[in-house]
Amino acid sequence: QKEVEQDPGPLSVPEGAIVSLNCTYSNSAFQYFMWYRQYSRKGPELLMYTYSSGNKEDGRFTAQVDKSSKYISLFIRDSQPSDSATYLCAMSAGGAQKLVFGQGTRLTINP
Amino acid sequence: EAQVTQNPRYLITVTGKKLTVTCSQNMNHEYMSWYRQDPGLGLRQIYYSMNVEVTDKGDVPEGYKVSRKEKRNFPLILESPSPNQTSLYFCASRNPGQLYGYTFGSGTRLTVV
């Protein structure tokens, strides 16, 4: 079983839709949770991050962490074609510990 | 501009021919890491380095070598590449207090035939 599971999609939605992306994990030591966005032929870029449980909002993006269920989510409101990318969840136990990534979800927003 | 620079961006090589992928960062970061990205498997760590002359294996180190002789550079060496090392490779760097992730390079697409 992978430490982090993410539905690879692909996911295709119309412009303006609310998008929900999710990951589950098995390692209860994870405390730092991140979402990366990766455009085609580019490296991943940090989009959102949260520590432990709770919500964090940044513009149209909301990240949620439920440590009791070992489940994290990223919501995108009023989705735009420029949001079309692969979204990767990543998590770490902190310190020098490595990032562990999900498989990535390929998202397409159709105009 | 703060960045991680990888070279080359694309490489096609033959089985067994030694190659090196270079990685350089201009942010004075202590931690550097190499990942490979494969469809359905996400990003997996190959090797990482916590500082000059300090390196350690990640999850998939077989067939790879690294060195960290200078803080800014972290080359990835494939001494005898095989087709199963065909992949997209990313170098990344961060500082110890920068818990929320790495800065990634733009990637190296390697094909071994």
Side-chain angles (χ1 to χ4, degrees), chain A residues 17-31:
Chain A
I18 296 175
V19 177
S20 172
L21 304 169
N22 310 294
C23 291
T24 60
Y25 64 94
S26 58
N27 187 345
S28 57
F30 289 148
Q31 296 190 76

Side-chain angles (χ1 to χ4, degrees), chain A residues 2 32-34 36 38 41-44 46 49-51 88 92 94-104, chain B residues 9-10 31 35 37-38 40-43 45 48 50 58-59 88 90 94 96 99-107:
Chain A
K2 292 189 175 72
Y32 300 88
F33 302 93
M34 288 144 271
Y36 281 81
Q38 184 179 17
R41 289 186 290 278
K42 297 285 191 182
L46 183 64
Y49 60 88
T50 53
Y51 171 72
L88 301 127
S92 167
Q97 296 300 310
K98 66 180 180 184
L99 285 181
V100 180
F101 285 86
Q103 295 95 313
Chain B
R9 289 293 309 275
Y10 301 91
Y31 291 178
Y35 285 84
Q37 187 175 31
D38 302 289
L41 298 176
L43 282 150
Q45 191 181 57
Y48 65 96
M50 294 174 66
D59 295 320
L88 180 57
F90 288 102
R94 72 173 175 96
L99 289 170
Y100 293 109
Y102 284 96
T103 300
F104 283 83
S106 295

Side-chain angles (χ1 to χ4, degrees), chain B residues 27-42:
Chain B
M27 296 165 282
N28 203 36
H29 285 170
E30 288 185 19
Y31 291 178
M32 297 187 74
S33 187
W34 275 103
Y35 285 84
R36 61 177 289 173
Q37 187 175 31
D38 302 289
L41 298 176

Side-chain angles (χ1 to χ4, degrees), chain A:
Chain A
Q1 182 191 2
K2 292 189 175 72
E3 275 190 291
V4 179
E5 297 275 3
Q6 182 178 6
D7 185 342
L11 183 60
S12 181
V13 301
E15 183 175 354
I18 296 175
V19 177
S20 172
L21 304 169
N22 310 294
C23 291
T24 60
Y25 64 94
S26 58
N27 187 345
S28 57
F30 289 148
Q31 296 190 76
Y32 300 88
F33 302 93
M34 288 144 271
W35 286 94
Y36 281 81
R37 180 172 60 195
Q38 184 179 17
Y39 290 115
S40 181
R41 289 186 290 278
K42 297 285 191 182
E45 295 175 302
L46 183 64
L47 181 63
M48 296 278 290
Y49 60 88
T50 53
Y51 171 72
S52 195
S53 284
N55 293 0
K56 185 171 184 178
E57 188 173 320
D58 183 2
R60 297 183 294 108
F61 298 90
T62 300
Q64 288 186 349
V65 175
D66 182 349
K67 289 190 72 178
S68 62
S69 302
K70 296 190 176 68
Y71 189 86
I72 72 170
S73 301
L74 177 71
F75 297 95
I76 308 174
R77 291 183 299 281
D78 187 24
S79 55
Q80 304 294 310
S82 59
D83 296 328
S84 298
T86 295
Y87 290 80
L88 301 127
C89 63
M91 43 201 83
S92 167
Q97 296 300 310
K98 66 180 180 184
L99 285 181
V100 180
F101 285 86
Q103 295 95 313
T105 300
R106 184 184 298 179
L107 172 66
T108 301
I109 309 297
N110 300 301

Side-chain angles (χ1 to χ4, degrees), chain B residues 70-83:
Chain B
E70 304 167 283
K71 197 171 186 179
R72 64 183 293 127
N73 296 323
F74 190 43
L76 179 70
I77 302 156
L78 286 72
E79 297 222 320
S80 184
S82 62

